[in-house]
Amino acid sequence: MSSADSSQAHATEAYDVVVVGAGFAGMYMLHRLRGLGFSARVFEQGGGVGGTWYWNRYPGARCDVESMQYSYSFSEELQQEWDWSERYAPQPEILKYANHVADRFDLRRDIQFNTRVDRAVFDTRSNSWSVTTSDGKTVNAKFVVLATGCLSNARKPDIRGLENFEGPVYHTGNWPHEPVDFTGLRVGLIGTGSSGIQSAPVIAEQASHLTVFQRTANFSIPARNAELTEEERNAFRKNYPEIRRFAREVARNGIYAVQPDRGALDDDADARRAKYESRWERGGLTFMYVYNNLGLDRTANDTAADFVRGKIAEIVRNPDTAKLLQPDSHPIGTKRICVDTDYFATFNRPNVALVDIRSNPIEEISANAVRVAGTDHEVDALVLATGFDAMTGSVAKIDIRGRDGQTLNQKWAEGPKTYLGLMSAGFPNLFIITGPGSPSVLSNMIVSIEQHVDWIADCLVHMRKHGLAAMEAGREAEDKWVAHVNEIAHGTLYPQANSWYMGANIPGKPRIFMPYIGGVGVYRQICNDVARKGYDGFVMERAEQPEAAAAAS
């Protein structure tokens, strides 16, 4: 495995590995490849590193995993030297961290920015990929690694008349890089997922009026964000070995937290409420850790959902508005639970209104208004918080052709099929980081990213050591894994929600539960066992030995 001779002026550039995307996955993949002596080139559509944190710059954007845990663990020096300022890092700080990593490890020299990968075609004769980019260039690579991210393909809604709106239109997933000032403007916010819930309070403080158009009410827990003290940072740093071990091997979602030892119905109502109150005051995603059966038992889940609905009723003064904000269409936690700062209290402001578009969908958008149930809600600017084509959308934008010219989109037409979320049968030497069929978005993403990158890196070393030219998922192993992922999912409450986990936010997208819900520790052990057994379930092809062939003739 070696690069093409750069002295050949007209030769096609060749690398051992092409990596698509320079977010946290692509950057770490590049770092590992370099350390192992592989030549690599990263192509990044954006103008800088950071992935989702490069694009998602909307007001109030911040991570829902605590910053001391939403960070790389591969470098002890890095995790000891970086100072996170808040419990939940805001987007500008996460992007600053990503840029620090790129600079500290000198990654930029192997990254080509403002370059989209349009096409990748596998050549069965050479067991290599021909990769065409948006600048018209084609490069060759033995391997392609898709580090395209799970939440990086912003979904623009199909609303009649949207193109006729005369004011500015912003999408939370593709926000301008220059500041946006809503002062004095009437703003319409469409969507109440995580980005809508985070941005509404900030926009409401600027705008003369904010109208929130809600199709589905969502459960949200207060973040209780605060500045981190030096003592808190140091305590975390000293305990990093145990925190990282626990996140990788014990926690189902890769987050270090106290694990529940009982079900919700094992406590009486008073004890149960006291525990919910304690977690509500603590804030954050760990609210769902109060009991161990909230994702499995609907009766248990109802106790948590009712508690949160009660909190919404306490916070929001208008009973009709409070009722609309109380989720009733899905069990709590079956859509990614949101973490907010004063979201529900925002609806107590005199300049904020909530419009229900579940019972009365948006009819059309005119030059200066959003029409619902025959009423025009006049707005000067629109914010589309309408989410992403999650898990598969960024991959689907690339024309990927494997064996016999089959495209990955054709193969995944009825839902994504992978083995371990890492590879798809018929597409040799093509790896996916945190793809469908892996814990991915159900976990602390950086924990899952590091595990996938390390597994792929070890696999490439194995192939180099044993003279293997091609590797792909076996179809039988893939079918069994897809069945297993769905079997595990349907043993939980998750499929009861029309969530982006199921692809339900994209019209026409197949309804299949995409991430692996068995837990990051269990999944890591499965991946390790597969590798230990000689990459059981994968099909390997040995490289031809031209010297031996010549001798034989």
Side-chain angles (χ1 to χ4, degrees), residues 29 51 64 166 224 300 367 434 504:
M29 189 78 251
D64 58 4
E166 294 181 352
R224 310 296 185 199
T434 61

Side-chain angles (χ1 to χ4, degrees), residues 43-112:
F43 293 105
E44 166 55 49
Q45 181 176 348
V49 299
T52 189
W53 301 106
Y54 174 86
W55 299 106
N56 286 262
R57 299 164 181 253
Y58 59 85
R62 67 177 68 242
C63 192
D64 58 4
V65 175
E66 294 186 15
S67 53
M68 295 294 290
Q69 298 196 54
Y70 191 81
S71 57
Y72 286 122
S73 68
F74 71 85
S75 167
E76 176 64 14
E77 293 79 11
L78 176 63
Q79 66 180 7
Q80 291 297 328
E81 74 189 11
W82 182 263
D83 283 335
W84 292 104
S85 66
E86 300 178 44
R87 182 183 174 194
Y88 294 99
Q91 177 271 335
E93 188 169 3
I94 301 173
L95 187 58
K96 184 179 178 182
Y97 173 73
N99 278 284
H100 172 75
V101 171
D103 293 336
R104 193 187 195 287
F105 298 99
D106 189 25
L107 301 178
R108 297 180 200 277
R109 60 184 166 91
D110 289 321
I111 303 173
Q112 184 172 321

